PDB file of all heavy atoms in Angstrom:
ATOM      1  N   GLN N   1      -3.242  -3.131  -9.429  1.00 90.00           N
ATOM      2  CA  GLN N   1      -2.226  -4.012  -8.860  1.00 90.00           C
ATOM      3  C   GLN N   1      -2.557  -4.293  -7.408  1.00 90.00           C
ATOM      4  O   GLN N   1      -2.992  -3.407  -6.670  1.00 90.00           O
ATOM      5  CB  GLN N   1      -0.850  -3.363  -8.969  1.00 90.00           C
ATOM      6  CG  GLN N   1       0.298  -4.272  -8.554  1.00 90.00           C
ATOM      7  CD  GLN N   1       0.434  -5.469  -9.471  1.00 90.00           C
ATOM      8  OE1 GLN N   1       0.654  -5.328 -10.665  1.00 90.00           O
ATOM      9  NE2 GLN N   1       0.288  -6.663  -8.912  1.00 90.00           N
ATOM     10  N   ASP N   2      -2.356  -5.539  -6.962  1.00 90.00           N
ATOM     11  CA  ASP N   2      -2.727  -5.890  -5.591  1.00 90.00           C
ATOM     12  C   ASP N   2      -1.765  -5.278  -4.587  1.00 90.00           C
ATOM     13  O   ASP N   2      -0.579  -5.057  -4.864  1.00 90.00           O
ATOM     14  CB  ASP N   2      -2.781  -7.409  -5.423  1.00 90.00           C
ATOM     15  CG  ASP N   2      -1.409  -8.047  -5.549  1.00 90.00           C
ATOM     16  OD1 ASP N   2      -0.948  -8.245  -6.700  1.00 90.00           O
ATOM     17  OD2 ASP N   2      -0.790  -8.334  -4.518  1.00 90.00           O
ATOM     18  N   ILE N   3      -2.297  -5.013  -3.400  1.00 91.00           N
ATOM     19  CA  ILE N   3      -1.561  -4.278  -2.372  1.00 91.00           C
ATOM     20  C   ILE N   3      -0.342  -5.051  -1.877  1.00 91.00           C
ATOM     21  O   ILE N   3       0.683  -4.459  -1.538  1.00 91.00           O
ATOM     22  CB  ILE N   3      -2.501  -3.929  -1.192  1.00 91.00           C
ATOM     23  CG1 ILE N   3      -1.869  -2.888  -0.274  1.00 91.00           C
ATOM     24  CG2 ILE N   3      -2.894  -5.174  -0.411  1.00 91.00           C
ATOM     25  CD1 ILE N   3      -1.876  -1.502  -0.827  1.00 91.00           C
ATOM     26  N   ARG N   4      -0.409  -6.385  -1.832  1.00 92.00           N
ATOM     27  CA  ARG N   4       0.708  -7.186  -1.329  1.00 92.00           C
ATOM     28  C   ARG N   4       1.911  -7.110  -2.275  1.00 92.00           C
ATOM     29  O   ARG N   4       3.057  -7.063  -1.822  1.00 92.00           O
ATOM     30  CB  ARG N   4       0.278  -8.641  -1.157  1.00 92.00           C
ATOM     31  CG  ARG N   4      -0.698  -8.867  -0.015  1.00 92.00           C
ATOM     32  CD  ARG N   4      -0.031  -8.681   1.340  1.00 92.00           C
ATOM     33  NE  ARG N   4      -0.955  -8.965   2.441  1.00 92.00           N
ATOM     34  CZ  ARG N   4      -0.637  -8.896   3.725  1.00 92.00           C
ATOM     35  NH1 ARG N   4       0.603  -8.560   4.069  1.00 92.00           N
ATOM     36  NH2 ARG N   4      -1.517  -9.152   4.656  1.00 92.00           N
ATOM     37  N   THR N   5       1.655  -7.096  -3.560  1.00 92.00           N
ATOM     38  CA  THR N   5       2.749  -6.971  -4.519  1.00 92.00           C
ATOM     39  C   THR N   5       3.408  -5.600  -4.400  1.00 92.00           C
ATOM     40  O   THR N   5       4.638  -5.487  -4.433  1.00 92.00           O
ATOM     41  CB  THR N   5       2.226  -7.169  -5.951  1.00 92.00           C
ATOM     42  OG1 THR N   5       1.683  -8.478  -6.074  1.00 92.00           O
ATOM     43  CG2 THR N   5       3.344  -6.992  -6.973  1.00 92.00           C
ATOM     44  N   ILE N   6       2.591  -4.575  -4.248  1.00 92.00           N
ATOM     45  CA  ILE N   6       3.138  -3.227  -4.090  1.00 92.00           C
ATOM     46  C   ILE N   6       3.943  -3.139  -2.796  1.00 92.00           C
ATOM     47  O   ILE N   6       5.002  -2.509  -2.750  1.00 92.00           O
ATOM     48  CB  ILE N   6       1.999  -2.191  -4.104  1.00 92.00           C
ATOM     49  CG1 ILE N   6       1.319  -2.196  -5.481  1.00 92.00           C
ATOM     50  CG2 ILE N   6       2.532  -0.796  -3.775  1.00 92.00           C
ATOM     51  CD1 ILE N   6       0.095  -1.326  -5.572  1.00 92.00           C
ATOM     52  N   GLN N   7       3.461  -3.780  -1.744  1.00 92.00           N
ATOM     53  CA  GLN N   7       4.203  -3.813  -0.478  1.00 92.00           C
ATOM     54  C   GLN N   7       5.597  -4.413  -0.688  1.00 92.00           C
ATOM     55  O   GLN N   7       6.598  -3.882  -0.199  1.00 92.00           O
ATOM     56  CB  GLN N   7       3.446  -4.653   0.555  1.00 92.00           C
ATOM     57  CG  GLN N   7       4.197  -4.833   1.878  1.00 92.00           C
ATOM     58  CD  GLN N   7       3.579  -5.900   2.761  1.00 92.00           C
ATOM     59  OE1 GLN N   7       2.558  -6.503   2.415  1.00 92.00           O
ATOM     60  NE2 GLN N   7       4.184  -6.142   3.914  1.00 92.00           N
ATOM     61  N   ALA N   8       5.663  -5.514  -1.439  1.00 92.00           N
ATOM     62  CA  ALA N   8       6.955  -6.168  -1.702  1.00 92.00           C
ATOM     63  C   ALA N   8       7.864  -5.282  -2.541  1.00 92.00           C
ATOM     64  O   ALA N   8       9.070  -5.192  -2.291  1.00 92.00           O
ATOM     65  CB  ALA N   8       6.721  -7.510  -2.391  1.00 92.00           C
ATOM     66  N   LEU N   9       7.307  -4.614  -3.546  1.00 92.00           N
ATOM     67  CA  LEU N   9       8.106  -3.748  -4.411  1.00 92.00           C
ATOM     68  C   LEU N   9       8.669  -2.559  -3.646  1.00 92.00           C
ATOM     69  O   LEU N   9       9.794  -2.117  -3.892  1.00 92.00           O
ATOM     70  CB  LEU N   9       7.258  -3.256  -5.582  1.00 92.00           C
ATOM     71  CG  LEU N   9       6.881  -4.295  -6.637  1.00 92.00           C
ATOM     72  CD1 LEU N   9       5.866  -3.722  -7.613  1.00 92.00           C
ATOM     73  CD2 LEU N   9       8.111  -4.796  -7.379  1.00 92.00           C
ATOM     74  N   LEU N  10       7.886  -2.038  -2.697  1.00 93.00           N
ATOM     75  CA  LEU N  10       8.326  -0.886  -1.917  1.00 93.00           C
ATOM     76  C   LEU N  10       9.242  -1.282  -0.765  1.00 93.00           C
ATOM     77  O   LEU N  10       9.965  -0.442  -0.231  1.00 93.00           O
ATOM     78  CB  LEU N  10       7.117  -0.133  -1.358  1.00 93.00           C
ATOM     79  CG  LEU N  10       6.206   0.568  -2.382  1.00 93.00           C
ATOM     80  CD1 LEU N  10       4.983   1.151  -1.686  1.00 93.00           C
ATOM     81  CD2 LEU N  10       6.963   1.667  -3.116  1.00 93.00           C
ATOM     82  N   GLY N  11       9.199  -2.548  -0.361  1.00 91.00           N
ATOM     83  CA  GLY N  11      10.029  -2.990   0.756  1.00 91.00           C
ATOM     84  C   GLY N  11       9.459  -2.627   2.106  1.00 91.00           C
ATOM     85  O   GLY N  11      10.203  -2.474   3.083  1.00 91.00           O
ATOM     86  N   HIS N  12       8.117  -2.512   2.197  1.00 90.00           N
ATOM     87  CA  HIS N  12       7.481  -2.213   3.483  1.00 90.00           C
ATOM     88  C   HIS N  12       7.411  -3.472   4.332  1.00 90.00           C
ATOM     89  O   HIS N  12       7.006  -4.533   3.842  1.00 90.00           O
ATOM     90  CB  HIS N  12       6.067  -1.667   3.271  1.00 90.00           C
ATOM     91  CG  HIS N  12       6.044  -0.272   2.739  1.00 90.00           C
ATOM     92  ND1 HIS N  12       4.931   0.279   2.138  1.00 90.00           N
ATOM     93  CD2 HIS N  12       6.985   0.707   2.725  1.00 90.00           C
ATOM     94  CE1 HIS N  12       5.191   1.521   1.772  1.00 90.00           C
ATOM     95  NE2 HIS N  12       6.437   1.796   2.120  1.00 90.00           N
ATOM     96  N   LYS N  13       7.755  -3.364   5.595  1.00 87.00           N
ATOM     97  CA  LYS N  13       7.685  -4.502   6.512  1.00 87.00           C
ATOM     98  C   LYS N  13       6.243  -4.872   6.801  1.00 87.00           C
ATOM     99  O   LYS N  13       5.889  -6.049   6.906  1.00 87.00           O
ATOM    100  CB  LYS N  13       8.426  -4.156   7.812  1.00 87.00           C
ATOM    101  CG  LYS N  13       8.447  -5.281   8.833  1.00 87.00           C
ATOM    102  CD  LYS N  13       9.231  -4.876  10.067  1.00 87.00           C
ATOM    103  CE  LYS N  13       9.265  -6.002  11.088  1.00 87.00           C
ATOM    104  NZ  LYS N  13      10.025  -5.588  12.312  1.00 87.00           N
ATOM    105  N   ASP N  14       5.391  -3.860   6.971  1.00 87.00           N
ATOM    106  CA  ASP N  14       3.989  -4.058   7.331  1.00 87.00           C
ATOM    107  C   ASP N  14       3.099  -3.529   6.220  1.00 87.00           C
ATOM    108  O   ASP N  14       3.303  -2.412   5.734  1.00 87.00           O
ATOM    109  CB  ASP N  14       3.701  -3.323   8.649  1.00 87.00           C
ATOM    110  CG  ASP N  14       2.355  -3.688   9.250  1.00 87.00           C
ATOM    111  OD1 ASP N  14       1.474  -4.141   8.506  1.00 87.00           O
ATOM    112  OD2 ASP N  14       2.180  -3.499  10.470  1.00 87.00           O
ATOM    113  N   VAL N  15       2.099  -4.310   5.834  1.00 89.00           N
ATOM    114  CA  VAL N  15       1.196  -3.877   4.771  1.00 89.00           C
ATOM    115  C   VAL N  15       0.422  -2.629   5.183  1.00 89.00           C
ATOM    116  O   VAL N  15      -0.049  -1.866   4.327  1.00 89.00           O
ATOM    117  CB  VAL N  15       0.226  -5.018   4.391  1.00 89.00           C
ATOM    118  CG1 VAL N  15      -0.810  -5.245   5.489  1.00 89.00           C
ATOM    119  CG2 VAL N  15      -0.451  -4.724   3.054  1.00 89.00           C
ATOM    120  N   ALA N  16       0.311  -2.378   6.497  1.00 85.00           N
ATOM    121  CA  ALA N  16      -0.392  -1.184   6.968  1.00 85.00           C
ATOM    122  C   ALA N  16       0.295   0.082   6.455  1.00 85.00           C
ATOM    123  O   ALA N  16      -0.355   1.099   6.205  1.00 85.00           O
ATOM    124  CB  ALA N  16      -0.456  -1.173   8.492  1.00 85.00           C
ATOM    125  N   THR N  17       1.623   0.023   6.302  1.00 85.00           N
ATOM    126  CA  THR N  17       2.355   1.172   5.765  1.00 85.00           C
ATOM    127  C   THR N  17       1.959   1.420   4.313  1.00 85.00           C
ATOM    128  O   THR N  17       1.786   2.565   3.886  1.00 85.00           O
ATOM    129  CB  THR N  17       3.876   0.930   5.852  1.00 85.00           C
ATOM    130  OG1 THR N  17       4.213   0.591   7.196  1.00 85.00           O
ATOM    131  CG2 THR N  17       4.651   2.170   5.439  1.00 85.00           C
ATOM    132  N   THR N  18       1.795   0.341   3.566  1.00 88.00           N
ATOM    133  CA  THR N  18       1.412   0.465   2.158  1.00 88.00           C
ATOM    134  C   THR N  18      -0.031   0.928   2.013  1.00 88.00           C
ATOM    135  O   THR N  18      -0.382   1.581   1.019  1.00 88.00           O
ATOM    136  CB  THR N  18       1.594  -0.896   1.449  1.00 88.00           C
ATOM    137  OG1 THR N  18       2.833  -1.475   1.866  1.00 88.00           O
ATOM    138  CG2 THR N  18       1.612  -0.728  -0.067  1.00 88.00           C
ATOM    139  N   MET N  19      -0.861   0.609   2.992  1.00 87.00           N
ATOM    140  CA  MET N  19      -2.287   0.927   2.912  1.00 87.00           C
ATOM    141  C   MET N  19      -2.549   2.430   2.848  1.00 87.00           C
ATOM    142  O   MET N  19      -3.638   2.854   2.461  1.00 87.00           O
ATOM    143  CB  MET N  19      -3.032   0.329   4.108  1.00 87.00           C
ATOM    144  CG  MET N  19      -3.143  -1.185   4.088  1.00 87.00           C
ATOM    145  SD  MET N  19      -4.152  -1.795   2.714  1.00 87.00           S
ATOM    146  CE  MET N  19      -5.775  -1.241   3.222  1.00 87.00           C
ATOM    147  N   ILE N  20      -1.573   3.240   3.221  1.00 85.00           N
ATOM    148  CA  ILE N  20      -1.779   4.691   3.172  1.00 85.00           C
ATOM    149  C   ILE N  20      -2.103   5.145   1.756  1.00 85.00           C
ATOM    150  O   ILE N  20      -2.824   6.130   1.554  1.00 85.00           O
ATOM    151  CB  ILE N  20      -0.549   5.454   3.722  1.00 85.00           C
ATOM    152  CG1 ILE N  20      -0.898   6.939   3.940  1.00 85.00           C
ATOM    153  CG2 ILE N  20       0.640   5.327   2.782  1.00 85.00           C
ATOM    154  CD1 ILE N  20       0.177   7.707   4.659  1.00 85.00           C
ATOM    155  N   TYR N  21      -1.624   4.400   0.761  1.00 85.00           N
ATOM    156  CA  TYR N  21      -1.881   4.797  -0.620  1.00 85.00           C
ATOM    157  C   TYR N  21      -3.326   4.542  -1.033  1.00 85.00           C
ATOM    158  O   TYR N  21      -3.823   5.150  -1.977  1.00 85.00           O
ATOM    159  CB  TYR N  21      -0.908   4.091  -1.570  1.00 85.00           C
ATOM    160  CG  TYR N  21       0.525   4.456  -1.267  1.00 85.00           C
ATOM    161  CD1 TYR N  21       1.397   3.540  -0.703  1.00 85.00           C
ATOM    162  CD2 TYR N  21       0.993   5.746  -1.509  1.00 85.00           C
ATOM    163  CE1 TYR N  21       2.708   3.891  -0.397  1.00 85.00           C
ATOM    164  CE2 TYR N  21       2.297   6.101  -1.208  1.00 85.00           C
ATOM    165  CZ  TYR N  21       3.142   5.176  -0.653  1.00 85.00           C
ATOM    166  OH  TYR N  21       4.434   5.524  -0.337  1.00 85.00           O
ATOM    167  N   THR N  22      -4.004   3.653  -0.324  1.00 81.00           N
ATOM    168  CA  THR N  22      -5.432   3.460  -0.603  1.00 81.00           C
ATOM    169  C   THR N  22      -6.219   4.687  -0.156  1.00 81.00           C
ATOM    170  O   THR N  22      -7.240   5.027  -0.742  1.00 81.00           O
ATOM    171  CB  THR N  22      -5.983   2.210   0.094  1.00 81.00           C
ATOM    172  OG1 THR N  22      -5.902   2.374   1.519  1.00 81.00           O
ATOM    173  CG2 THR N  22      -5.202   0.966  -0.315  1.00 81.00           C
ATOM    174  N   HIS N  23      -5.737   5.357   0.882  1.00 75.00           N
ATOM    175  CA  HIS N  23      -6.390   6.589   1.335  1.00 75.00           C
ATOM    176  C   HIS N  23      -6.187   7.706   0.316  1.00 75.00           C
ATOM    177  O   HIS N  23      -7.056   8.549   0.121  1.00 75.00           O
ATOM    178  CB  HIS N  23      -5.841   7.017   2.703  1.00 75.00           C
ATOM    179  CG  HIS N  23      -6.123   6.018   3.792  1.00 75.00           C
ATOM    180  ND1 HIS N  23      -7.386   5.603   4.102  1.00 75.00           N
ATOM    181  CD2 HIS N  23      -5.295   5.351   4.631  1.00 75.00           C
ATOM    182  CE1 HIS N  23      -7.338   4.718   5.095  1.00 75.00           C
ATOM    183  NE2 HIS N  23      -6.076   4.549   5.432  1.00 75.00           N
ATOM    184  N   VAL N  24      -5.027   7.706  -0.313  1.00 71.00           N
ATOM    185  CA  VAL N  24      -4.778   8.702  -1.358  1.00 71.00           C
ATOM    186  C   VAL N  24      -5.704   8.451  -2.543  1.00 71.00           C
ATOM    187  O   VAL N  24      -6.247   9.375  -3.143  1.00 71.00           O
ATOM    188  CB  VAL N  24      -3.304   8.652  -1.815  1.00 71.00           C
ATOM    189  CG1 VAL N  24      -3.069   9.622  -2.955  1.00 71.00           C
ATOM    190  CG2 VAL N  24      -2.372   8.983  -0.649  1.00 71.00           C
ATOM    191  N   LEU N  25      -5.907   7.170  -2.866  1.00 68.00           N
ATOM    192  CA  LEU N  25      -6.803   6.823  -3.960  1.00 68.00           C
ATOM    193  C   LEU N  25      -8.235   7.264  -3.681  1.00 68.00           C
ATOM    194  O   LEU N  25      -8.935   7.759  -4.548  1.00 68.00           O
ATOM    195  CB  LEU N  25      -6.798   5.303  -4.173  1.00 68.00           C
ATOM    196  CG  LEU N  25      -5.726   4.697  -5.061  1.00 68.00           C
ATOM    197  CD1 LEU N  25      -5.931   3.200  -5.142  1.00 68.00           C
ATOM    198  CD2 LEU N  25      -5.760   5.301  -6.449  1.00 68.00           C
ATOM    199  N   ASN N  26      -8.659   7.056  -2.430  1.00 61.00           N
ATOM    200  CA  ASN N  26     -10.047   7.328  -2.066  1.00 61.00           C
ATOM    201  C   ASN N  26     -10.269   8.777  -1.693  1.00 61.00           C
ATOM    202  O   ASN N  26     -10.955   9.086  -0.716  1.00 61.00           O
ATOM    203  CB  ASN N  26     -10.457   6.427  -0.887  1.00 61.00           C
ATOM    204  CG  ASN N  26     -10.489   4.971  -1.285  1.00 61.00           C
ATOM    205  OD1 ASN N  26     -10.725   4.655  -2.437  1.00 61.00           O
ATOM    206  ND2 ASN N  26     -10.227   4.091  -0.339  1.00 61.00           N
ATOM    207  N   LYS N  27      -9.675   9.661  -2.415  1.00 54.00           N
ATOM    208  CA  LYS N  27      -9.845  11.080  -2.134  1.00 54.00           C
ATOM    209  C   LYS N  27     -11.282  11.495  -2.412  1.00 54.00           C
ATOM    210  O   LYS N  27     -12.010  10.827  -3.139  1.00 54.00           O
ATOM    211  CB  LYS N  27      -8.876  11.902  -2.989  1.00 54.00           C
ATOM    212  CG  LYS N  27      -9.010  11.667  -4.479  1.00 54.00           C
ATOM    213  CD  LYS N  27      -7.901  12.354  -5.238  1.00 54.00           C
ATOM    214  CE  LYS N  27      -8.013  12.035  -6.723  1.00 54.00           C
ATOM    215  NZ  LYS N  27      -6.944  12.671  -7.496  1.00 54.00           N
ATOM    216  N   GLY N  28     -11.668  12.620  -1.862  1.00 49.00           N
ATOM    217  CA  GLY N  28     -13.031  13.080  -2.069  1.00 49.00           C
ATOM    218  C   GLY N  28     -14.023  12.304  -1.243  1.00 49.00           C
ATOM    219  O   GLY N  28     -15.025  11.808  -1.736  1.00 49.00           O
TER     220      GLY N  28
END
């Protein structure tokens, strides 16, 4: 799912807040 849609679903004002989940994905 694209990051902008997830940002809208979560209600984040800034996409940078949502981007933290990409760091969780890129573990290791």
Side-chain angles (χ1 to χ4, degrees):
Q1 187 64 60
D2 67 280
I3 194 75
R4 290 290 183 179
T5 298
I6 295 174
Q7 176 192 358
L9 290 171
L10 293 174
H12 287 162
K13 181 178 180 181
D14 191 337
V15 72
T17 306
T18 317
M19 290 295 291
I20 192 172
Y21 299 109
T22 64
H23 297 303
V24 176
L25 274 181
N26 293 332
K27 57 188 177 181

